[in-house]
Amino acid sequence: MKIRTRAIFSWGITVILVLFFGSPSWAFAKKGPKISVGNDPFLKEGSPELVLVEVSDFQCIVCARGAGDVMPQVYDKFIRTGKVELIYLDLPLHKDSFKAAEAAGCAGDQGKFWEMHDRLFENLQALGPDQLPGYAEEIGLDVAAFRKCLDSGRQAGGIREDMRVAQILGFTGTPAFVLGRRLPGSDKVQVLESFQGLPPYEELEKKINALLAPQTP
């Protein structure tokens, strides 16, 4: 994941929106259900109990801004240091975003999901099916195997399952996020907080730190 920081701009826009329109759309919800994260792409060091689930769409402009501004800061402070696991769920809502999600999954088969993740967000206005193999070549994939995977549609089932999970959580747009804890010995996460929209990094950091703090009986 590339490290780029433009969070001050995003924070300023958020403050203006709050002043004019009241509470932001990223207000946190209460404890929710247990969700399965199965074979979804992840980033972690060690075995952190706290999980941040990112629900995203490769043609979503706000998602792209989060991938460039907010998530690199989260990675640097919490994921790289072994405190939090990041999991990515697809919620494709735009014309070419379902096939783009399949492309990321096919890249994941070759161990390069996150490289394709970055490349797709860098080119969110150019994600037609005929353009995807070019990105596969740029990140060093076996392009023939990538094309075969993309044409087979074998990633589609996992993407639809992600969409089902997003529906269970009540998400109707992207980006959206879940903070939760892994249930021992399973692929399930207990939802602790969920929110839709892109918060300033400072708000997300505060919420993660609160959940990482020792819990009093």
Side-chain angles (χ1 to χ4, degrees):
M1 179 178 287
K2 296 185 178 178
I3 306 301
R4 291 174 288 168
T5 55
R6 295 190 299 272
I8 294 174
F9 173 79
S10 299
W11 170 250
I13 293 297
T14 303
V15 170
I16 292 170
L17 290 174
V18 171
L19 289 174
F20 277 91
F21 299 107
S23 299
S25 61
W26 41 263
F28 287 85
K30 294 182 179 180
K31 187 174 179 179
K34 299 178 180 70
I35 59 170
S36 175
V37 293
N39 297 316
D40 290 300
F42 64 89
L43 283 172
K44 67 177 181 177
E45 295 290 337
S47 302
E49 291 184 8
L50 190 62
V51 176
L52 174 64
V53 180
E54 176 188 6
V55 182
S56 195
D57 177 329
F58 287 114
Q59 283 191 303
C60 163
I61 294 173
V62 179
C63 299
R65 191 171 77 237
D69 295 342
V70 176
M71 298 312 293
Q73 296 182 78
V74 172
Y75 174 83
D76 219 27
K77 182 159 186 179
F78 295 108
I79 299 166
R80 183 177 57 81
T81 56
K83 297 176 182 177
V84 175
E85 176 183 2
L86 174 65
I87 297 175
Y88 185 94
L89 264 66
D90 288 295
L91 181 55
L93 299 171
H94 294 82
K95 179 186 173 212
D96 293 321
S97 54
F98 193 98
K99 186 56 75 173
E102 289 184 85
C106 289
D109 285 350
Q110 298 187 42
K112 291 196 173 184
F113 170 85
W114 295 103
E115 290 87 343
M116 181 63 84
H117 165 282
D118 290 344
R119 194 56 53 94
L120 294 174
F121 275 129
E122 289 166 358
N123 296 276
L124 78 166
Q125 303 292 343
L127 297 183
D130 59 333
Q131 294 165 304
L132 299 174
Y135 303 141
E137 184 175 9
E138 289 172 11
I139 65 172
L141 297 182
D142 178 332
V143 177
F146 173 83
R147 286 182 180 273
K148 184 176 180 180
C149 172
L150 201 59
D151 292 343
S152 72
R154 70 169 179 256
Q155 299 292 333
I159 296 166
R160 292 193 179 96
E161 176 61 20
D162 283 0
M163 296 171 73
R164 187 186 72 82
V165 171
Q167 184 179 36
I168 289 172
L169 293 167
F171 295 144
T172 57
T174 56
F177 297 88
V178 168
L179 281 163
R181 296 196 187 280
R182 274 223 181 247
L183 299 178
S186 78
D187 68 350
K188 294 187 182 299
V189 169
Q190 172 66 64
V191 175
L192 302 176
E193 305 275 4
S194 62
F195 55 104
Q196 190 166 302
L198 180 66
Y201 169 73
E202 292 81 0
E203 291 293 329
L204 189 51
E205 179 186 44
K206 186 187 301 182
K207 183 54 66 174
I208 291 173
N209 280 329
L211 292 173
L212 288 173
Q215 303 297 306
T216 56

